[in-house]
Amino acid sequence: MKQLILLFILDAVLAFYGGLWSASAFASSSVTLTTEELAFIQAHPIITLGTGDAWEPYVIVGDDGQISGYDFDIISKIQNLTGLEFRLLPGDWRLRQDQAQRREIDGLSTGAIHPERHVYLNFSDPYIRLNKFVLVTKGNPLNIRSRADLDGRTIAIHRGNLSDEKVAQGFPRSHIMLLDSVDAVIEAVSTGQADATFDNGAMLYRANRIGSPYLQFALSINESLDLVFGVRNDWPEAISIINKGLRAITETERQRIQARWFLAPLTNSEAANYQPLSLSTEESDFLNRIDPIRLCLDPNWMPFESLTLDAHPQGIFIDFVAILMQRLGSNTQLIYTANWNESLATIRAGRCDMILGAAITPERSEYLNFTRPLLSEPLVVTIRTDNTFNGDLHHYSDQTFMMVSGHAAIELLRRQYPAMRIIEASDIATALRAVAAGNAFGYIDLMPTIAWTAQHENILNIKIAGNLSERYDLAIGVRKELPLLLSSLSKAVVSLRPEEIKTVHDRWTSVRYEQTVDYRWLWPYFSGGILLLLTMLFWNHRLTRFNEALRNANARIVLLTITDELTGLFNRRYFHEIMPREWRRALREQRPLHLLLIDIDYFKLYNDGYGHPAGDVVLQRVGALLREHTRRGGDFAFRVGGEEFAVLLTEINHSNALKFAEELRIATEQLAIPHTGNAVAPVITLSLGLLCVPANAFDHANAIPLSWESVYHRADDLLYQAKNEGRNRVIVGDWQPPALETSI
């Protein structure tokens, strides 16, 4: 329910959005820069723009520090079109404004044009126009319906938000409460300390993201807000380049970005009354051309979706699609696949237009856009009835878990629990039978799927042992090349009322309870015992929740202690924990081991020339490459020093390790990060030393099993050899243990 309200309000906020981006403004897809502008890019290759850290979905800061959101996508397009690179620096908004004024950073994003800022900033053309409205506590207990209803009321606003502070001047009879953060404003209105606040969509989005769904739309105040990019006013070329980039974004690309972060515009009355959709002319024409829409699904994932024995689709998402297609006036054509992996491959190859019941992941976002989630389900662990599970996967690194191949949570869990052993099964029934037979400790999936399969496959000796913190947000995925299909489907999804979603869900997951005997006559005899039991259960429930919160907090603390804050990779401390563990395992199991030490070439020279903020960006981009290339369960990537990295490969052979190192070197060079101060290497490159320890290194009786530190030093020698021989290369060495010395 909270997500429906949020998305409808975001639609209403963006009602003015379409008029701002005229077709003529985005007719071109190429940018011609002047000599002065090209010289400016050469002199200032990276522009750092400050922004707030709680203005979602315009700027979203992930748990790993990665930035996404509407502003990020627009800036990325400008960067690709013009060659001028940007870095978004989120944080306290007042601090970012002060830094821009002192020119410690180059400008501001997600800001508005104010005379006070003209003193130190020039402004771009608007890149989005928003409508201001009033948020109140859920249920609107004070019945605030007009501006006059705010007389005598307390309005909380974010201190330093000049736009809201100026809007507040139009409410002279209200008490204005200035607070230091967006989250503090959300809390004040949610708890009744304040009666209302102003918003343009970001605060309501943020409230639902942080688990505080206690705000709702009250009224529009007919105040619009143009968001612009501001850059220091002694750099006029920067604004000229940005404006050229904005004008060069095509209408199709604009719609794609809009569809990713916002649903298509609805009016305020539609948002308030949950009215069905109305399609634009473009959307209607597109649906007529594409009809029927090609559909992929998981053929074996009940109750969400599957195929019957006679190849007819069934399940929760099939019922959803039937309703959506009725409202769109469209038809679907099912593209048959053997399994979920094949369905993903089919839509990625362009042979399918949309895919059902897809969990939203960064990997899939590379080729799919998503509607808002229709369902959100927690992952649960299923074990044998004679086993126990304490809720923390960290304690079960010596156990084997089953999951169905291709499901999104596999890589997520492997990253969060590196020591976890996961075996991929072809289908759910096979995995559950393995658990029931004792061949695996547990199976991880969604509760409705497990319950359905266990019941229909008659698998009895298993139980659901507990929820994990990870969830599946299940949505409809649409190929990125079809933004009009996404916007049409998004409108149809929003038109689904909560009662409709619940009816469909319950139709496939409900359980019937029957009371066959009336035990009320026993109540006088057991009332005291029941009260005592309820009291014990209540306190046990509270204690369980407290312990769970404590475990989660400890897990977060552990994660922070082993993660490098800047790059999101494992840190040096964790390297010293993992390396000896994997070295001992290699000795014990006679497994190959590959250690790759990496150094960014001429990094000190880059820092001296471009500054440490630009150097941090380079470290982050190299770190992102390492994360992208180390996705197998046996790969570990670390930042072990300033510009030094290490990769430990435990599950691949010699040739694949060589291929991995060379691909990483080439990928870094292809980032084309300018390093104009270095005549030897005009772009950022890597030097790499790869030490290969073969599986049979210790077969000989006279072998000396050196310590892991000795292996590390040997890899370090290879790295320095790569640097001494000219850098931007991989030097490989095969380590063989020396023979024991003998005395005569």
Side-chain angles (χ1 to χ4, degrees):
M1 181 67 177
K2 66 182 182 183
Q3 291 172 322
L4 281 172
I5 294 173
L6 165 64
L7 293 171
F8 275 118
I9 297 305
L10 283 175
D11 286 343
V13 171
L14 295 170
F16 293 104
Y17 176 63
L20 176 66
W21 300 81
S22 64
S24 61
F26 300 97
S28 172
S29 61
S30 61
V31 173
T32 302
L33 300 180
T34 66
T35 303
E36 291 79 7
E37 290 165 346
L38 291 171
F40 176 84
I41 294 177
Q42 187 77 6
H44 309 284
I46 298 178
I47 304 295
T48 300
L49 300 179
T51 185
D53 56 4
W55 287 353
E56 303 170 346
Y58 311 105
V59 175
I60 300 174
V61 183
D63 294 336
D64 59 355
Q66 295 298 309
I67 299 172
S68 60
Y70 182 83
D71 282 22
F72 180 82
D73 280 4
I74 292 295
I75 279 180
S76 297
K77 286 302 298 181
I78 296 172
Q79 180 172 300
N80 292 337
L81 289 163
T82 65
L84 180 60
E85 292 195 35
F86 294 90
R87 175 195 179 202
L88 280 177
L89 184 64
D92 181 86
W93 180 236
R94 287 180 299 159
L95 173 62
R96 294 294 177 255
Q97 292 177 83
D98 292 342
Q99 289 176 318
Q101 192 167 4
R102 296 193 300 267
R103 295 187 174 169
E104 295 172 1
I105 58 177
D106 305 322
L108 299 173
S109 175
T110 333
I113 299 175
H114 295 291
E116 299 91 328
R117 295 177 186 160
H118 268 301
V119 177
Y120 56 95
L121 295 176
N122 285 336
F123 298 102
S124 72
D125 296 336
Y127 61 90
I128 190 170
R129 176 167 293 159
L130 308 170
N131 191 27
K132 285 280 187 181
F133 55 90
V134 174
L135 289 181
V136 296
T137 309
K138 182 66 68 66
N140 198 359
L142 300 177
N143 198 29
I144 295 174
R145 305 291 180 188
S146 67
R147 295 174 70 104
D149 292 334
L150 289 168
D151 290 350
R153 302 297 184 186
T154 299
I155 302 174
I157 61 175
H158 183 196
R159 192 192 310 271
N161 187 325
L162 296 182
S163 174
D164 282 358
E165 290 178 0
K166 290 180 179 179
V167 171
Q169 295 173 7
F171 295 82
R173 296 192 179 104
S174 301
H175 171 64
I176 305 302
M177 177 189 293
L178 295 175
L179 298 173
D180 290 332
S181 70
V182 170
D183 288 358
V185 173
I186 292 169
E187 182 180 3
V189 180
S190 299
T191 58
Q193 300 173 49
D195 302 315
T197 187
F198 304 131
D199 192 21
N200 53 33
M203 191 170 300
L204 192 57
Y205 192 104
R206 173 70 177 173
N208 283 269
R209 283 264 295 183
I210 65 175
S212 184
Y214 310 117
L215 306 182
Q216 74 173 59
F217 172 87
L219 70 143
S220 173
I221 55 177
N222 297 319
E223 297 274 356
S224 62
L225 174 67
D226 289 341
L227 294 186
V228 297
F229 300 115
V231 181
R232 49 190 290 179
N233 55 13
D234 59 336
W235 288 357
E237 298 87 356
I239 290 297
S240 174
I241 295 169
I242 290 172
N243 283 338
K244 286 183 177 180
L246 284 173
R247 299 185 189 108
I249 302 176
T250 64
E251 179 67 15
T252 299
E253 188 63 20
R254 177 192 66 77
Q255 289 177 351
R256 186 192 68 79
I257 297 173
Q258 178 188 356
R260 180 178 183 185
W261 298 110
F262 311 106
L263 298 180
L266 296 175
T267 65
N268 287 345
S269 62
E270 286 175 324
N273 298 313
Y274 296 93
Q275 292 299 317
L277 68 159
S278 60
L279 299 178
S280 68
T281 303
E282 276 186 308
E283 290 165 337
S284 297
D285 291 342
F286 177 81
L287 291 178
N288 289 334
R289 291 196 307 271
I290 199 175
D291 193 56
I293 302 167
R294 296 174 300 173
L295 169 68
C296 282
L297 51 77
D298 189 333
N300 187 24
W301 199 41
M302 284 298 286
F304 298 106
E305 58 199 42
S306 76
L307 296 178
T308 63
L309 292 176
D310 54 352
H312 288 296
Q314 63 174 347
I316 293 173
F317 272 88
I318 302 303
D319 287 2
F320 283 152
V321 166
I323 300 172
L324 299 178
M325 292 301 106
Q326 182 181 25
R327 295 183 185 179
L328 290 173
S330 296
N331 300 293
T332 59
Q333 174 191 354
L334 179 61
I335 305 299
Y336 291 95
T337 56
N339 52 51
W340 179 241
N341 272 334
E342 187 176 326
S343 292
L344 290 173
T346 300
I347 194 168
R348 191 164 192 171
R351 299 191 299 274
C352 192
D353 302 318
M354 68 179 185
I355 190 166
L356 303 185
I360 302 172
T361 68
E363 292 81 3
R364 293 173 186 171
S365 295
E366 294 176 3
Y367 56 96
L368 293 176
N369 286 323
F370 297 89
T371 66
R372 72 158 181 82
L374 288 117
L375 299 172
S376 181
E377 299 276 354
L379 288 170
V380 301
V381 175
T382 301
I383 61 176
R384 278 172 57 104
T385 52
D386 55 354
N387 281 337
T388 59
F389 177 73
N390 69 1
D392 189 350
L393 289 174
H394 284 291
H395 297 159
Y396 296 87
S397 59
D398 59 338
Q399 299 289 355
T400 299
F401 291 84
M402 304 286 292
M403 296 186 72
V404 172
S405 179
H407 279 207
I410 293 177
E411 291 304 319
L412 172 67
L413 293 176
R414 280 177 171 162
R415 288 192 175 279
Q416 189 163 349
Y417 308 98
M420 185 177 180
R421 295 208 302 263
I422 297 176
I423 296 178
E424 297 183 24
S426 59
D427 59 80
I428 304 163
T430 300
L432 288 179
R433 288 194 180 99
V435 173
N439 298 326
F441 175 77
Y443 172 69
I444 299 175
D445 204 332
L446 306 184
M447 184 183 297
T449 296
I450 295 170
W452 177 282
T453 306
Q455 178 183 356
H456 286 77
E457 298 291 335
N458 198 31
I459 304 172
L460 302 178
N461 59 327
I462 59 172
K463 64 181 179 181
I464 294 175
N467 290 3
L468 301 178
S469 59
E470 294 78 13
R471 301 182 69 89
Y472 266 7
D473 289 329
L474 300 176
I476 297 175
V478 179
R479 283 198 295 123
K480 285 204 171 207
E481 297 83 357
L482 303 175
L484 289 174
L485 176 58
L486 177 68
S487 61
S488 302
L489 276 171
S490 294
K491 286 183 177 181
V493 168
V494 167
S495 74
L496 291 172
R497 297 185 304 276
E499 312 91 82
E500 292 178 287
I501 295 175
K502 185 177 186 302
T503 298
V504 171
H505 185 272
D506 290 349
R507 183 184 306 148
W508 292 96
T509 61
S510 60
V511 178
R512 181 182 302 167
Y513 295 92
E514 296 182 0
Q515 183 175 354
T516 57
V517 181
D518 185 0
Y519 291 103
R520 287 176 295 178
W521 66 275
L522 292 173
W523 176 249
Y525 300 96
F526 293 101
S527 57
I530 291 173
L531 288 174
L532 178 61
L533 177 62
L534 289 175
T535 302
M536 293 173 62
L537 289 174
F538 170 75
W539 285 108
N540 184 64
H541 175 69
R542 292 195 63 180
L543 183 61
T544 300
R545 294 191 63 181
F546 174 78
N547 288 335
E548 181 181 357
L550 185 61
R551 284 195 299 269
N552 291 338
N554 287 334
R556 287 194 294 270
I557 291 171
V558 170
L559 184 62
L560 288 173
T561 62
I562 66 174
T563 303
D564 176 62
E565 183 178 0
L566 181 64
T567 63
L569 301 174
F570 292 131
N571 58 20
R572 185 180 185 89
R573 171 182 174 177
Y574 198 52
F575 175 79
H576 284 280
E577 179 180 335
I578 290 294
M579 183 66 196
R581 186 191 76 186
E582 292 300 321
W583 175 247
R584 288 192 299 270
R585 187 163 76 99
L587 296 179
R588 183 176 63 252
E589 300 178 9
Q590 294 288 287
R591 303 172 63 91
L593 191 72
H594 299 85
L595 177 60
L596 184 64
L597 297 187
I598 305 163
D599 205 0
I600 300 177
D601 294 330
Y602 303 106
F603 187 71
K604 183 179 185 304
L605 184 63
Y606 185 92
N607 262 345
D608 293 342
Y610 292 94
H612 288 283
D616 287 349
V617 172
V618 172
L619 293 171
Q620 289 172 332
R621 295 185 68 179
V622 172
L625 266 184
L626 287 172
R627 288 199 306 275
E628 180 181 341
H629 281 72
T630 53
R631 294 186 176 184
R632 291 177 297 267
D635 297 348
F636 301 89
F638 309 85
R639 182 185 177 201
V640 295
E643 70 274 22
E644 299 169 5
F645 301 87
V647 174
L648 187 62
L649 307 171
T650 67
E651 303 289 344
I652 63 176
N653 58 29
H654 183 78
S655 60
N656 285 334
L658 294 178
K659 181 180 177 183
F660 173 92
E662 188 61 25
E663 286 179 348
L664 185 60
R665 184 193 67 79
I666 293 172
T668 304
E669 193 170 16
Q670 289 177 345
L671 289 176
I673 303 173
H675 193 177
T676 54
N678 178 19
V680 177
V683 296
I684 288 293
T685 58
L686 299 181
S687 295
L688 306 96
L690 174 62
L691 179 63
C692 307
V693 182
N696 62 352
F698 306 102
D699 283 347
H700 306 291
N702 62 346
I704 300 176
L706 297 182
S707 67
W708 72 266
E709 290 95 339
S710 301
V711 174
Y712 176 83
H713 291 315
R714 173 63 178 133
D716 198 41
D717 292 340
L718 295 173
L719 171 61
Y720 275 91
Q721 184 180 343
K723 296 169 71 171
N724 293 334
E725 292 184 11
R727 292 180 167 85
N728 190 21
R729 66 193 62 221
V730 180
I731 297 295
V732 184
D734 289 326
W735 180 73
Q736 296 291 338
L740 283 167
E741 294 183 1
T742 58
S743 59
I744 299 176

